[in-house]
């Protein structure tokens, strides 16, 4: 009985688990309504755009620095939303989300230090996360 389970059951279980992992939600989480498309269009893209434009030259005043800090912090949060609610399908997704989390945190540090060149460099690294995840998981490019 046990031997039969080990011979037949375990490989079946392994296959079932692998296909379960591959099913990952991608376009939506498991229980919450937010579509990945909405997350991208409503949160990720606008904050990425403002941040990218804002670190091109030194912000004019504290208000402008604050706005950039908001952009970076929201992108950081988006990195965690991407990993929540069963949305993540695989290691490539997880790696890109981690890059987004980590690089946005560095951007934020540089902004807090009012280091615009440092922020620019970290922002460039951040955008690698968009490309990596889209290459693997975004269908129409
Ligand atoms: C971990 C994965 C992942 C990361 C990281 C990621 N995206 Fe996406 N993005 C997706 C997926 C998946 C789609 C396609 C969603 C769909 O159409 O269902 C998408 C779609 C988009 C779209 C199209 C939205 C639409 O209305 O069709 C934009 C714009 C976008 N992403 C911008 C970005 C930017 C900018 C970054 C980096 C700051 C980024 N994304 C990082 C997974 C990711």
């Amino acid at each position: 009985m046990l031997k039969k389970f080990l011979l037949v059951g375990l490989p079946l279980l392994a296959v079932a688990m692998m296909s379960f992992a591959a099913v990952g939600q991608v376009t939506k989480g498991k229980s919450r309504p937010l579509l990945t498309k909405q997350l991208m269009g409503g949160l990720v893209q606008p904050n990425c755009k403002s941040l990218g434009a804002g670190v091109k030259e030194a912000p004019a005043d504290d208000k402008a620095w604050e706005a950039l800090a908001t952009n970076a912090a929201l992108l950081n949060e988006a990195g965690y939303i991407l990993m929540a609610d069963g949305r993540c399908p695989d290691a490539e997704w997880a790696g890109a989300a981690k890059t987004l989390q980590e690089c946005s945190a560095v951007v934020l540090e540089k902004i807090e230090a009012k280091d615009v060149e440092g922020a620019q460099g970290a922002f460039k690294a951040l955008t690698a996360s968009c490309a990596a995840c889209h290459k693997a998981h975004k269908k129409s490019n």
Side-chain angles (χ1 to χ4, degrees), residues 26-28 35-38 40-41 44-46 48-49 75 82-83 92-94 96-97 100 123 126-127 129-134 137-140:
V26 181
T27 58
K28 193 188 154 300
L35 301 174
T36 303
K37 202 178 147 109
Q38 295 168 329
M40 293 293 149
V44 176
Q45 173 71 11
C48 186
K49 203 172 159 210
L75 283 173
L82 280 165
M83 291 307 293
E92 262 163 328
W93 182 289
L100 181 55
F123 174 77
L126 181 157
T127 58
S129 74
C130 324
C133 194
H134 291 170
H137 292 292
K138 188 170 168 286
K139 293 229 169 70
S140 52

Side-chain angles (χ1 to χ4, degrees), residues 19-136:
S19 45
F20 178 70
V23 167
Q25 301 294 290
V26 181
T27 58
K28 193 188 154 300
K30 283 192 170 138
S31 62
R32 308 200 298 245
L34 180 71
L35 301 174
T36 303
K37 202 178 147 109
Q38 295 168 329
L39 173 63
M40 293 293 149
L43 179 64
V44 176
Q45 173 71 11
N47 283 290
C48 186
K49 203 172 159 210
S50 310
L51 186 60
V55 295
K56 280 203 175 126
E57 52 194 58
D61 52 24
D62 281 356
K63 227 179 145 187
W65 279 111
E66 254 175 54
L68 295 182
T70 300
N71 296 144
L74 285 169
L75 283 173
N76 181 264
E77 198 61 35
Y80 291 92
I81 297 175
L82 280 165
M83 291 307 293
D85 200 20
R87 195 182 305 263
C88 171
D90 61 16
E92 262 163 328
W93 182 289
K98 190 151 193 266
T99 302
L100 181 55
Q101 292 168 9
E102 290 176 353
C103 293
S104 57
V106 177
V107 176
L108 192 54
E109 265 169 38
K110 302 293 178 189
I111 288 170
E112 276 158 4
K114 299 203 167 156
D115 170 4
V116 77
E117 270 148 42
Q120 211 177 94
F123 174 77
K124 199 159 174 261
L126 181 157
T127 58
S129 74
C130 324
C133 194
H134 291 170
K135 190 162 177 264

